[in-house]
C-alpha cells in the first residue's frame, strides 16, 4: 500500500512548545517538502486543537512560516494511550508515516510507520533536514520520486 499521508507531532518536533511556538530550524523548508511529496499532511499532537491552532497562527503572525504551509494541516482528534494511526481520517495505518519525538506515544504494532526525531527545545539543529532525507528514502523505496 502506498504512503499517502504524513502525520506530524507538534511540540518538540516542529516547534519548541505550544506556548512559545518557536519554529524548529528548517521548519519552512521541511513543510514545503512535506506538502510537495505527500497527498496530505496532518497534525497529530497531544496539544488540544485550539492551542495547536494558536501556536500555528503565532508562527504565521510572526512571519516565521508562510500561512500556506500551515493552514492546510488537518488536526487529528484522538483519545487513548497511543497515537493510533487509525484515528487519521481517510487513510489506513499502512498509508501513513508519523514523525514524532516521543516513542512512548507510538503504538507498538505501528512502530514501522514511525520516523523518530530528536526532541527540540531551542537552539541550532539539523533534525528536520535529516528527517526529510529519511522520508525521501522511504518514498523512493516504494518507487516515488
Amino acid at each position: 500500500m502506498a504512503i499517502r499521508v504524513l502525520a506530524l507531532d507538534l511540540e518538540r518536533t516542529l516547534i519548541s512548545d505550544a506556548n512559545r511556538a518557536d519554529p524548529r530550524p528548517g521548519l519552512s523548508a521541511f513543510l514545503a517538502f512535506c506538502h510537495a511529496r505527500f497527498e496530505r499532511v496532518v497534525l497529530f499532537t497531544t496539544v488540544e486543537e485550539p492551542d495547536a491552532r494558536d501556536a500555528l497562527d503565532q508562527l504565521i503572525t510572526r512571519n516565521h512560516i508562510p500561512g500556506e504551509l500551515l493552514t492546510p494541516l488537518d488536526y487529528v482528534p484522538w483519545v487513548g494511550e497511543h497515537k493510533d494511526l487509525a484515528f487519521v481520517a481517510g487513510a489506513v495505518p499502512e498509508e501513513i508515516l508519523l514523525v514524532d519525538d516521543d516513542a512512548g506515544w507510538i503504538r507498538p504494532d505501528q512502530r514501522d510507520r514511525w520516523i523518530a526525531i530528536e526532541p527540540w527545545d531551542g537552539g541550532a539543529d539539523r533534525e528536520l533536514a535529516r528527517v526529510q532525507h529519511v522520508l525521501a528514502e522511504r518514498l523512493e523505496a516504494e518507487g516515488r520520486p
Side-chain angles (χ1 to χ4, degrees), residues 81-83 100-108 111 114 116-117:
E81 183 179 345
H82 296 104
K83 292 181 178 179
D100 201 305
D101 68 296
D102 189 342
W105 291 112
I106 311 303
R107 276 181 52 133
R111 291 205 181 242
W114 175 44
I117 188 167

Side-chain angles (χ1 to χ4, degrees), residues 34-72:
C34 295
H35 287 299
R37 300 292 298 274
F38 292 88
E39 188 177 306
R40 285 177 50 221
V41 182
V42 300
L43 198 59
F44 206 160
T45 178
T46 60
V47 178
E48 295 291 328
E49 185 172 12
D51 296 330
R53 294 282 176 207
D54 183 57
L56 297 179
D57 288 345
Q58 286 181 53
L59 293 172
I60 296 167
T61 301
R62 296 185 334 226
N63 294 315
H64 288 301
I65 309 294
E68 63 267 13
L69 294 178
L70 295 173
T71 52

Side-chain angles (χ1 to χ4, degrees), residues 3 30 33 38 97 99 114-116 127-141:
I3 299 168
F30 177 73
F33 164 85
F38 292 88
L97 293 177
V99 177
W114 175 44
I115 308 296
E127 271 295 284
L128 288 177
R130 183 192 65 77
V131 167
Q132 180 175 321
H133 181 72
V134 171
L135 291 170
E137 286 180 338
R138 289 285 293 261
L139 294 172
E140 288 167 13

